[in-house]
Every structure is written in C-alpha cells, then in structure tokens.
Amino acid sequence: EVALHAHDEL
Amino acid sequence: MNIFRFLGDMSHILSFLLLLHKIVGGKSAAGISLRTAEMYAIVFCTRYIDLLWNFASLYNYLLKLLFIGASLTIVYFMRYGPSQKATYNADEDAFPVQYLIAPCAVLGVLINQDHSSPFEMVWAFSIYLEAVAILPQLFLLQKQGEVENLTSHYVFALGAYRALYLLNWMFRFMTEPDYQQRIVWLSGLVQTALYCDFFYHYYQSKKGGLNKSVKLP
C-alpha cells in the first residue's frame, strides 16, 4: 500500500 | 527518476531563476501576482513539511529546501522590497484566493491517500492548491493584456514543469507495476490545462522571435 503512494516526487 | 521528471524539475528551477532575476535582479514586480507567489509558498511549506522526517533522497531534499527558500524569498521581496512594492500592482492582482484555498482545504481533508494521517490531508491540500495557484497570475496577465518578456518565460517554464510531470506519470504508469497516483494525476491535468490558453499565445508570439512580448486578448 505504501509503495503505491510513496511521496517520492517533488 | 526518469528524463521527464528530471526535465520537469529543471524547468521548475528555471521558472524560479527567471522570477528571482526579475524581482530581485531587475527590482521590478510589474505584472507579477503576489497572490500566486504566496499560494506557491503555502504549497511548498505544506507539501515539504516531510523534510523533517523523510530523507529518502538527497536530490528531493535539496530541491525541497530550494523551492521553499526561493518561494519565501520572492514573497519577502514583493512584500517588503521598496522598488518591488512600487512596481507591484495590488489593485489589479485581485483574484479572490479565499475561493481557491478553502475548497482545496476541504478536498484535502476529504480526498487523500490515508485518512488517518494529518500529513496526507495537508499533502493532498498542497497538491490541489498547486493546481489552481497560477490563476491569480493568469488573471493579472489577462487584465494587463500584454505580457513582459521575462514574465512570459517565467510562466511558460512554470507551466512546462507540470506538463513534463504528466509525461513522467505516464512513463511510470507504463513501467512500474501497480503504480497509481490518481490525486496528482488529476490535479496535474487540471494545472496544465489552465496554461493551455497561455501556451497558445506564448507560442504565437515567440515563433516570430524569442523576445517578442506575449499579447493576450
């Protein structure tokens, strides 16, 4: 679930 | 990281450099919306609050600091710089931002990626607000009809950054299994759509030479 929504972008 | 996202971030940095060059270097805030600048400061200060605990990538960390610093610097100079205040047109920069901020706040609370996390609500608010933050600036340009050269490049670079992010999301959707970010996809689509009219006039005016001013009907 976290992988789906990881905030890895600016 | 893919080329679209990298180019998008570079375009975003370029938009800041152009705006800082005009406001701090050129000591002029003519044609620039303080309301848009303030909303962008809110966007970055809310979205990047995870600077306090998320050190996932140095690249993101540094750019987040840069974006927060640059947006606050711009607001500071537009509010307190003597020559900037003299060239800033407060009565033309009149877009009612409360009608943008309040709905985004409600949406942030209602539609986000984890209803148990306050940060996710703030993060979603920031995404929604960024989608509409350019409206006061476009409204001001529309009112003035003519767009000064540097300002037109600043707005173009700012619009291009999210358009490149749309390509980045398409690329990631195609290459990463079960990647989905509906909130940013939809917001980014709205954000980029708002620039279409400006992009058209920018292209029309620049195809005759890069330093022609952009005329908006």
Side-chain angles (χ1 to χ4, degrees):
Chain A
E1 185 56 18
V2 173
L4 280 183
H5 304 314
H7 299 314
D8 61 352
E9 294 181 342
L10 287 171
Chain B
M1 172 62 83
N2 59 64
I3 186 65
F4 302 111
R5 185 173 145 215
F6 180 70
L7 289 177
D9 291 338
M10 292 308 114
S11 180
H12 200 182
I13 292 175
L14 178 64
S15 76
F16 272 119
L17 294 180
L18 289 165
L19 188 54
L20 283 166
H21 172 62
K22 177 178 171 73
I23 289 185
V24 181
K27 293 196 184 328
S28 159
I32 303 298
S33 163
L34 173 58
R35 289 171 184 240
T36 283
E38 287 172 340
M39 283 209 287
Y40 260 105
I42 295 171
V43 164
F44 295 132
C45 290
T46 48
R47 190 182 314 168
Y48 299 153
I49 200 151
D50 65 341
L51 275 172
L52 304 174
W53 66 80
N54 176 357
F55 307 99
S57 110
L58 182 64
Y59 172 86
N60 280 358
Y61 199 84
L62 292 178
L63 259 61
K64 288 176 180 178
L65 288 176
L66 177 72
F67 292 166
I68 287 176
S71 55
L72 291 177
T73 302
I74 285 159
V75 170
Y76 174 80
F77 274 94
M78 286 193 76
R79 276 186 167 277
Y80 307 110
S83 48
Q84 291 81 354
K85 277 199 303 190
T87 49
Y88 168 60
N89 195 327
D91 30 359
E92 281 201 332
D93 185 19
F95 196 94
V97 292
Q98 63 275 17
Y99 298 144
L100 299 177
I101 296 177
C104 288
V106 170
L107 271 176
V109 173
L110 296 180
I111 306 173
N112 55 63
Q113 292 177 161
D114 175 354
H115 290 81
S116 63
S117 146
F119 171 61
E120 286 300 331
M121 295 179 184
V122 163
W123 184 84
F125 160 71
S126 151
I127 292 290
Y128 301 137
L129 189 64
E130 186 187 0
V132 293
I134 196 64
L135 280 171
Q137 179 64 63
L138 294 177
F139 177 80
L140 180 61
L141 296 181
Q142 198 71 37
K143 253 189 171 175
Q144 294 183 337
E146 179 111 9
V147 185
E148 188 262 331
N149 195 35
L150 199 51
T151 307
S152 67
H153 295 318
Y154 145 65
V155 175
F156 177 77
L158 195 51
Y161 125 75
R162 214 60 177 170
L164 286 162
Y165 257 70
L166 289 177
L167 298 178
N168 151 60
W169 293 322
M170 278 183 244
F171 181 83
R172 293 191 70 178
F173 183 73
M174 287 185 290
T175 55
E176 293 175 30
D178 62 35
Y179 168 78
Q180 64 84 18
Q181 285 268 18
R182 276 191 287 272
I183 287 182
V184 285
W185 293 346
L186 192 61
S187 306
L189 217 52
V190 168
Q191 184 168 338
T192 306
L194 293 176
Y195 283 84
C196 286
D197 175 61
F198 175 83
F199 282 151
Y200 171 75
H201 292 295
Y202 180 84
Y203 169 71
Q204 290 299 331
S205 72
K206 296 309 177 193
K207 71 184 177 186
L210 255 189
N211 49 13
K212 290 213 171 6
S213 66
V214 178
K215 287 175 185 52
L216 296 175

